[in-house]
């Protein structure tokens, strides 16, 4: 039983059970006139009573830091009420529930008992969880940044029972702050005070009394005392500003609250960084949209089914169809290929690889029946799940260049045909003179005529190459595909070139890993041309006394069988840097034998085209100084 002080009134019998409560249970007993007739030590600590109590004085005059008059009056007025529980907040942020029990004798109130239970920790935990939920909810709202932060601050003030809270963000040059919420009563002097100190040190600043702490600077002499906590809004090494939390005089921020607000500040900083990234993405998106919209070339995007998703201004000029008329509709309604094929089907067939640029040249008919030639670049893009594809297509009008190209080809064709007849005649007469049909030649005459004959032969070959080049460019090469004996054809070509190899003392031999005669599906003349070009090149680029080996073998590529012909020489070889360019038209290898062999860089381009148009492939392996291996495949029958 708690000790009763000497001047305490005699306790009535109804208080006996209360005095048997545990020693740490705060208990306070009042009589009907609200005078204290008993208070134990734990209750004294709650009400911060350090001196002896005058038990004749009213409870309300004794207790200054708790406002429960309304509660007591309510109980006194309610004659039928036997007990009730209320929540009260005590100074220094401690929280309690209080059980108030009136005692009656008939209809007369005898007194009251107040029993307290400390709920500070449980309530604090509940508030922390509530605040963290509200913070997450606020920061995920799709609202302007200013509105998100204002809602967040309101929730912080209400949930944590603060006097005020404010967020101050650094501007772009990092020299000034602006207040997101209503202006705080606390002054923020540039480069001075707790806010700037927190930014400078990147550390939290806690001030118990703003009037006494020298780290807080103010120009307002009448400003009331505050307890403030300033936290930097920091994500990694970047500081976006601060959040300032304010409590009334004499209150403070316990360690648990500091940790809570530290977590909140980190989440706000992450939100602000994400906002910056989103703003940068929005800017880049708008910039890219402006570039696309004002591009001189047509650009569109399609979904996987070929429906238009975007359509720029240049595309409108190119086709005559506006963006409003095309969005959501199939592209085939607006782009008609000259060959009557589906545009989107053509794109799908061509775009086989993901994220790889492709190029096609097509002729289209536009709304006024005018034809235009377009270079089309397209890229197939995928989302994060790698499922839904989108096609981005660039259209470049090359009609003028195509027209010039046609005119150029017509000129070359006409010129080549005009040259071929007289050159062939000159070559023939030169051959007759060298053979002595016009009489014997002396050594000097034979030397001059031989040089003239060789020069004429090079011109004739050039004319033939130009004509073949034009046929390939204009897709006019006709192939008569039929089964042919590749071994027999190869021997015939070797025989035709044996005299040329003999003059350079080059050993030209043939072998095959296939014992029986096998057939390939190809054009006889074009295959001879392919074989002749490759063996002739090997002779040109192999020094005197070298050797050339032509081999035929069988190879399976996928489900199909092919015959592969290899032309292996011991020539000068090809540098690795030039391997990729040797099949491009008008490209020549830079080595000492190039100037001697002549040529204009069309032979390998023509050869590769002839191989591929017959369903085969042409490739090369080479080692400078040791020789090259040119290989081509043709479908086996």
């Amino acid at each position: 039983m708690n000790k009763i002080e000497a001047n305490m009134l005699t306790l009535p019998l109804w208080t006996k059970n209360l005095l048997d409560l545990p020693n740490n249970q705060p208990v306070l007993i009042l009589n009907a006139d609200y005078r204290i007739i008993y208070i134990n030590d734990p209750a004294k600590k709650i009400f911060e009573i350090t001196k002896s109590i005058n038990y004749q004085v009213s409870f309300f005059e004794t207790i200054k830091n708790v406002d429960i008059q309304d509660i007591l009056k309510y109980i006194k007025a309610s004659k039928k009420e036997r007990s009730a529980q209320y929540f009260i907040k005590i100074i220094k942020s401690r929280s309690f529930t209080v059980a108030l029990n009136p005692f009656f004798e008939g209809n007369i109130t005898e007194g009251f008992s107040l029993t307290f239970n400390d709920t500070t920790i449980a309530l604090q935990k509940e508030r922390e969880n509530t605040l963290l939920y509200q913070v997450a909810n606020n920061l995920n709202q799709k609202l302007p940044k200013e509105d998100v932060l204002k809602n967040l601050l309101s929730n912080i003030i209400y949930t944590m029972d603060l006097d005020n809270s404010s967020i101050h963000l650094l501007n772009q040059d990092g020299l000034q702050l602006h207040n997101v919420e209503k202006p705080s009563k606390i002054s923020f002097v540039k480069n001075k005070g707790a806010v700037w100190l927190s930014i400078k040190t990147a550390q939290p600043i806690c001030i118990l009394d703003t009037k006494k702490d020298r780290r807080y600077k103010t120009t307002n002499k009448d400003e009331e005392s505050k307890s403030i906590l300033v936290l930097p809004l920091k994500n990694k090494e970047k500081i976006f500003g601060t959040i300032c939390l304010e409590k009334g005089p004499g209150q403070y921020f316990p360690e648990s609250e500091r940790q809570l607000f530290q977590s909140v500040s980190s989440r706000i900083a992450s939100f602000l960084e994400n906002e910056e990234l989103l703003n940068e993405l929005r800017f880049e998106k708008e910039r890219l949209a402006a570039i696309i919209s004002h591009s001189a070339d047509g650009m569109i995007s399609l979904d996987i089914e070929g429906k238009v998703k975007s359509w720029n201004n240049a595309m409108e000029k190119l086709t005559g169809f506006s963006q409003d008329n095309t969005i959501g509709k199939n592209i085939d309604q607006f782009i008609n290929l000259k060959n009557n094929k589906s545009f989107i089907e053509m794109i799908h067939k061509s775009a086989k690889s993901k994220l790889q640029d492709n190029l096609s040249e097509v002729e289209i008919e536009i709304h006024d029946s005018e034809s235009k030639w377009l270079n089309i670049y397209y890229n197939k893009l995928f989302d994060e799940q790698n499922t839904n594809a989108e096609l981005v297509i660039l259209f470049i009008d090359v009609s003028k260049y195509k027209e010039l190209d046609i005119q150029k080809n017509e000129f070359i064709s006409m010129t080549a045909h005009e040259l071929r007849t007289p050159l062939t005649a000159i070559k023939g007469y030169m051959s007759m003179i060298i053979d002595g049909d016009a009489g014997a030649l002396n050594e000097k005459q034979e030397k001059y005529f031989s040089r003239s004959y060789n020069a004429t032969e090079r011109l004739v070959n050039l004319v033939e190459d130009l004509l073949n080049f034009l046929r390939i460019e204009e897709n006019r090469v006709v192939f008569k595909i039929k089964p042919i004996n590749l071994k027999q054809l190869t021997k015939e070509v070797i025989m035709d070139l044996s005299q040329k190899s003999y003059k350079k003392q080059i050993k030209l031999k043939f072998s095959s890993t296939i014992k029986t005669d096998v057939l390939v599906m190809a054009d006889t003349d074009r295959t001879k041309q392919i074989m002749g070009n490759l063996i002739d090149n090997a002779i040109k680029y192999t020094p005197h006394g070298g050797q050339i080996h032509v081999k035929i073998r069988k190879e399976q590529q996928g489900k199909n069988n092919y015959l592969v012909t290899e032309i292996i020489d011991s020539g000068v070889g090809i540098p690795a840097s030039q391997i990729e360019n040797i099949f491009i038209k008008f490209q020549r290898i830079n080595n000492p034998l190039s100037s001697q062999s002549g040529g204009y860089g069309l032979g390998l381009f023509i050869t590769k085209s002839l191989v591929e148009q017959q369903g085969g492939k042409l490739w090369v392996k080479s080692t400078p100084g040791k020789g090259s291996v040119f290989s081509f495949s043709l479908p086996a029958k």
Side-chain angles (χ1 to χ4, degrees), residues 561-585:
N561 292 321
Y562 290 84
L563 291 187
V564 177
T565 304
E566 295 178 336
I567 294 90
I568 307 166
D569 65 56
S570 59
V572 295
I574 306 168
S577 60
Q578 298 184 44
I579 287 285
E580 294 182 358
N581 299 325
I582 62 172
F583 296 114
I584 300 174
K585 54 192 174 186

Side-chain angles (χ1 to χ4, degrees), residues 123-273:
L123 183 62
Q124 182 68 19
K125 193 65 179 176
E126 182 181 350
R127 289 160 122 193
E128 290 176 1
N129 292 336
T130 300
L131 181 61
L132 291 175
Y133 170 78
Q134 290 173 337
V135 168
N137 186 53
N138 284 139
L139 297 181
N140 285 326
Q141 290 178 343
K142 294 182 178 180
L143 295 173
K145 179 178 72 176
E146 298 282 327
D147 292 340
V148 169
L149 295 180
K150 285 180 180 179
N151 292 340
L152 178 63
L153 291 173
S154 297
N155 285 329
I156 291 174
I157 293 172
Y158 177 78
T159 304
M160 301 306 294
D161 197 20
L162 303 179
D163 280 11
N164 194 22
S165 67
S166 53
I167 290 176
H168 310 270
L169 301 179
L170 287 165
N171 66 359
Q172 290 182 348
D173 25 331
L175 297 176
Q176 296 179 351
L177 296 167
H178 90 273
N179 201 337
V180 172
E181 185 52 283
K182 62 183 180 181
S184 170
K185 293 181 180 179
I186 292 181
S187 301
F188 298 98
V189 183
K190 182 179 174 182
N191 293 328
K192 296 180 180 179
V195 169
W196 284 101
L197 182 60
S198 178
I199 291 173
K200 185 177 180 180
T201 61
Q203 296 295 326
I205 303 297
C206 187
I207 295 178
L208 295 178
D209 190 333
T210 54
K211 281 195 172 184
K212 296 179 180 179
D213 198 311
R214 63 182 182 82
R215 294 175 297 173
Y216 173 72
K217 303 290 182 181
T218 178
T219 56
N220 184 4
K221 295 182 180 180
D222 298 327
E223 187 174 293
E224 62 181 357
S225 174
K226 290 280 185 181
S227 173
I228 66 171
L229 175 63
V230 182
L231 297 145
L233 301 176
K234 179 182 176 184
N235 192 12
K236 297 178 182 177
E237 298 303 319
K238 185 170 183 179
I239 296 179
F240 298 90
T242 64
I243 179 170
C244 183
L245 310 160
E246 304 174 29
K247 288 188 177 183
Q251 300 186 48
Y252 70 104
F253 292 90
E255 181 62 27
S256 60
E257 284 191 4
R258 295 187 195 184
Q259 293 179 1
L260 171 67
F261 288 127
Q262 185 73 53
S263 175
V264 170
S265 69
S266 297
R267 298 185 186 196
I268 296 173
S270 297
F271 164 77
L272 293 172
E273 183 175 47

Side-chain angles (χ1 to χ4, degrees), residues 64-93:
K64 302 294 185 182
N65 62 340
V66 180
D67 184 11
I68 58 172
Q69 296 97 321
D70 292 339
I71 298 173
L72 296 175
K73 290 177 182 178
Y74 170 78
I75 293 177
K76 183 179 180 182
S78 178
K79 303 301 182 181
K80 297 179 181 180
E81 192 71 44
R82 292 308 181 202
S83 66
Q85 284 199 353
Y86 296 89
F87 171 78
I88 60 173
K89 183 176 180 182
I90 311 300
I91 195 168
K92 291 187 179 179
S93 301

Side-chain angles (χ1 to χ4, degrees), residues 468 472 477-479 525-530 533 603-616 634:
N468 285 325
I472 291 170
V477 180
V478 178
F479 292 90
D525 293 335
R526 301 305 176 191
T527 305
K528 278 187 175 182
Q529 187 178 351
I530 293 166
N533 283 347
L604 287 176
F605 168 77
I606 293 170
T607 302
K608 186 172 187 293
S609 298
L610 293 176
V611 170
E612 290 178 349
Q613 289 186 61
Q614 295 184 92
L634 289 172

Side-chain angles (χ1 to χ4, degrees), residues 473-567:
E473 287 280 283
E474 297 171 1
N475 201 24
R476 292 190 293 108
V477 180
V478 178
F479 292 90
K480 296 179 181 179
I481 304 297
K482 63 180 182 179
I484 61 174
N485 189 324
L486 186 61
K487 290 170 67 175
Q488 183 62 37
L489 183 144
T490 305
K491 291 176 181 178
E492 291 174 5
V493 173
I494 290 175
M495 183 64 67
D496 293 339
L497 294 170
S498 60
Q499 187 65 27
K500 195 170 185 178
S501 64
Y502 177 77
K503 288 181 180 180
K504 293 183 68 174
Q505 298 179 355
I506 294 173
K507 184 178 180 182
L508 181 58
K509 65 176 182 177
F510 168 76
S511 67
S512 174
T513 59
I514 307 168
K515 295 181 179 180
T516 59
D517 289 339
V518 290
L519 305 179
V520 291
M521 298 302 296
D523 182 285
T524 302
D525 293 335
R526 301 305 176 191
T527 305
K528 278 187 175 182
Q529 187 178 351
I530 293 166
M531 192 78 72
N533 283 347
L534 294 175
I535 296 175
D536 186 59
N537 272 356
I539 295 172
K540 288 179 183 178
Y541 291 101
T542 299
H544 281 73
Q547 61 180 7
I548 298 172
H549 187 186
V550 181
K551 297 170 62 176
I552 295 178
R553 58 182 174 84
K554 198 171 184 179
E555 182 179 282
Q556 186 170 358
Q557 298 177 8
K559 296 181 180 180
N560 301 318
N561 292 321
Y562 290 84
L563 291 187
V564 177
T565 304
E566 295 178 336
I567 294 90

